[in-house]
Amino acid sequence: MSHEEALEELRKRLEEKYVEFTPGSRRLYERARKVLPGGVTYQIRWLSPYPVFVERGEAQHIWDVDGNRYIDYWMGHGALILGHRHEVVRKVLENAPELGTHLGFENPYAIEYAELLARIVPGVEQVRFTNSGTEANMYAVRLARAYTGRKYIIKFEGGWHGGYDPLHVGVTPPYEGPESLGLIEDCLRYTLVAKYNDLGSVEELMKKFGNDVAAIIVEPVLGAGGAIPAEREFLKGLREIADHYGSLLIFDEVITGLRLSLGGAQEYYGVRADIVVMGKIIGGGVPGAGAFGAREEIMQLLDHLRYPNPRQRSFHGGTFTGNPLTILAGYATVKYLAEHPGVYEKMNSLWDNARRKMDSVCSRYGDVCWSTGAGSIVGIHFTRSRPRSAREAVENRWSKKVYEAFNLYARVNGILYVSEHMAHLLASIKHTWSDAEQFITVLENFLEEAKKIGGLPR
């Protein structure tokens, strides 16, 4: 029996256990299939043989409709850095009825929040709020083109910047062409895809298109691409290349912003971006979370008073932009983080140690897996070597089945993370070393069980 066949047998046994203790989720999935395509509201939340339907959360835990408790390592797609139902956010939601959820006019709360962000995010003098990270990336790219008067955008393999058409390319193998039906090639005409952590591939594109490259957009730590961190010299090199060619450098900090440090990846890596895109944490776990910011020289192109003619400025807007509910929840979250700077050192140290211990476990089983990440962003890869890019994370896999089996193994042992095709953990300040050890123990027990049945490569 091959290791793939052994892993499939293990997966089937785990699936039987999962079905036994999640009958409520199964019933809800059968209902959902009739009214939701694929039975889910977002395909990334689908887990085989059917997703967990979660009823409530508290701190670092969630409970499904069958009453099963899990350690949550997805934390609202990484938005809940303070954990579920943190008191500062809960107070905002409790007081919301007194204000109204959507005022529809300018409000004082957005000013106070923008002032806070301008103080803590390096290089950001002015901010505009959006309704999602996708929107923030869309407006950031438009602004970069408006500022430079150029067309091309360089992004990286595995980089996920939301569903915005011109950036919806180069996310999954073969890293070329539209990532979705309904996208036409013309939408991608001015998008160039480079290799992550490979400055040579960027230089090559710049030699051909550099005089018409508006911006280089990069995730300082790949999210959907495998929780793979940029190397410091790579980001420094991007800064130098952008300066040399007169292009802007955009950091997509939807995941890394307010997570790696209070000042995000710019502070963590010591590299400045021209435009910073934010999401997730910036809304404090309340929907409608996104923002982008830059120095005034760039942001003034959004100013309708300086540029009354709409064709001479870069448009930004939205019905729910700057709504008080999201603004207040986000402000309360970021203010808490700013007033408790020690949480970053504690959280980053915890997960740096956890990654080292994971690597030690993987090493004992013949280097069949590797950890990646930075701070509280963690990835697990069942590859022949530690991946430096999304391409390596996929091409160097020794099995596809092992990812599905491990996700199921974690579920039946009280741990939830996304996805079953790429293991990502996005922890909160509520997670403890005991929680991390539980995950490491589950990983070690899984490897031991896989080894006994011949599920590991020889």
Side-chain angles (χ1 to χ4, degrees):
M1 181 186 294
S2 69
H3 67 262
E4 286 284 84
E5 291 171 329
L7 286 168
E8 175 59 15
E9 287 298 315
L10 174 58
R11 192 199 65 78
K12 287 179 179 177
R13 292 201 303 272
L14 293 168
E15 185 174 297
E16 289 175 0
K17 290 183 181 178
Y18 176 72
V19 169
E20 285 177 9
F21 70 80
T22 57
S25 284
R26 184 173 190 172
R27 287 193 296 271
L28 285 174
Y29 179 64
E30 290 168 355
R31 284 176 56 192
R33 285 281 290 162
K34 298 175 182 177
V35 290
L36 298 170
V40 291
T41 53
Y42 184 4
Q43 60 84 19
I44 198 173
R45 298 169 184 160
W46 190 88
L47 299 170
S48 178
Y50 49 81
V52 177
F53 282 79
V54 175
E55 199 167 52
R56 64 186 178 93
E58 183 72 37
Q60 73 271 47
H61 295 106
I62 50 179
W63 285 259
D64 67 17
V65 293
D66 292 290
N68 301 305
R69 189 184 80 162
Y70 307 85
I71 299 175
D72 181 9
Y73 280 111
W74 190 227
M75 299 308 297
H77 296 233
L80 302 171
I81 195 169
L82 301 185
H84 292 280
R85 299 185 71 245
H86 192 278
E87 59 181 7
V88 300
V89 177
R90 198 164 65 240
K91 286 180 181 177
V92 169
L93 300 180
E94 289 171 352
N95 294 330
E98 298 178 12
L99 302 175
T101 58
H102 181 47
L103 301 177
F105 289 92
E106 290 304 316
N107 61 72
Y109 318 113
I111 302 171
E112 193 170 8
Y113 195 11
E115 288 172 341
L116 174 60
L117 292 172
R119 286 198 301 272
I120 66 175
V121 182
V124 168
E125 296 175 340
Q126 294 187 340
V127 175
R128 278 290 182 93
F129 296 103
T130 67
N131 294 301
S132 68
T134 293
E135 276 191 20
N137 275 310
M138 176 181 74
Y139 287 121
V141 166
R142 181 181 294 173
L143 181 58
R145 284 173 167 157
Y147 180 78
T148 61
R150 299 175 177 184
K151 299 185 184 73
Y152 287 95
I153 302 294
I154 292 179
K155 73 173 296 287
F156 294 91
E157 292 178 348
W160 171 246
H161 307 286
Y164 175 46
D165 286 7
L167 297 179
H168 207 172
V169 62
V171 181
T172 59
Y175 303 112
E176 58 186 28
E179 289 280 342
S180 168
L181 285 178
L183 283 180
I184 57 176
E185 293 283 351
D186 285 354
C187 292
L188 311 175
R189 180 182 297 175
Y190 298 109
T191 305
L192 308 171
V193 182
K195 296 177 181 177
Y196 198 73
N197 275 328
D198 185 339
L199 287 175
S201 70
V202 182
E203 285 280 17
E204 190 175 332
L205 290 173
M206 279 298 199
K207 287 175 183 177
K208 295 179 182 178
F209 304 98
N211 292 330
D212 203 13
V213 172
I216 302 169
I217 185 168
V218 63
E219 286 184 282
V221 178
L222 287 178
I228 297 172
E231 294 162 359
R232 193 179 303 272
E233 291 306 311
F234 173 66
L235 292 182
K236 287 183 177 178
L238 292 182
R239 177 70 273 170
E240 292 169 2
I241 290 170
D243 288 342
H244 179 75
Y245 286 92
S247 305
L248 298 185
L249 179 60
I250 302 174
F251 275 8
D252 178 349
E253 296 225 47
V254 169
I255 290 177
T256 57
L258 302 165
R259 175 171 286 280
L260 293 183
S261 67
L262 191 62
Q266 291 188 98
E267 179 183 328
Y268 185 85
Y269 282 103
V271 179
R272 290 290 181 95
D274 295 300
I275 301 177
V276 180
V277 174
M278 295 166 277
K280 299 188 186 298
I281 292 170
I282 204 168
V286 172
F292 62 102
R295 60 186 183 272
E296 183 181 0
E297 177 190 359
I298 296 172
M299 295 296 286
Q300 70 176 358
L301 281 169
L302 298 160
D303 189 338
H304 66 286
L305 297 178
R306 294 192 188 201
Y307 303 96
N309 185 338
R311 289 173 176 79
Q312 293 178 346
R313 66 175 184 266
S314 185
F315 174 79
H316 159 261
T319 297
F320 293 99
T321 296
N323 77 84
L325 194 59
T326 306
I327 291 293
L328 287 169
Y331 177 80
T333 297
V334 177
K335 185 171 182 287
Y336 180 91
L337 293 169
E339 292 173 348
H340 299 81
V343 300
Y344 288 106
E345 183 179 353
K346 181 180 178 181
M347 186 165 56
N348 290 352
S349 175
L350 189 159
W351 292 104
D352 287 345
N353 288 332
R355 276 189 294 273
R356 283 192 287 270
K357 195 162 183 180
M358 291 175 201
D359 285 339
S360 176
V361 168
C362 291
S363 178
R364 291 203 297 273
Y365 287 86
D367 290 327
V368 294
C369 52
W370 310 81
S371 74
T372 59
S376 57
I377 305 168
V378 181
I380 301 294
H381 301 272
F382 296 92
T383 50
R384 297 179 183 87
S385 59
R386 194 187 315 277
R388 297 175 56 249
S389 67
R391 181 181 287 272
E392 289 182 5
V394 174
E395 291 183 350
N396 291 342
R397 291 178 174 184
W398 51 264
S399 168
K400 293 182 180 179
K401 192 67 64 179
V402 67
Y403 289 87
E404 299 172 14
F406 181 55
N407 188 280
L408 259 173
Y409 192 88
R411 268 183 274 163
V412 300
N413 283 281
I415 289 174
L416 279 181
Y417 69 84
V418 171
S419 74
E420 60 182 9
H421 305 296
M422 189 84 81
H424 308 89
L425 310 183
L426 295 168
S428 73
I429 65 172
K430 293 294 185 179
H431 286 82
T432 65
W433 178 247
S434 176
D435 296 321
E437 282 192 314
Q438 187 168 334
F439 179 85
I440 294 165
T441 297
V442 166
L443 174 63
E444 185 168 17
N445 290 346
F446 170 77
L447 293 174
E448 181 63 27
E449 190 161 344
K451 179 183 178 181
K452 286 179 180 177
I453 63 171
L456 300 183
R458 297 178 177 83

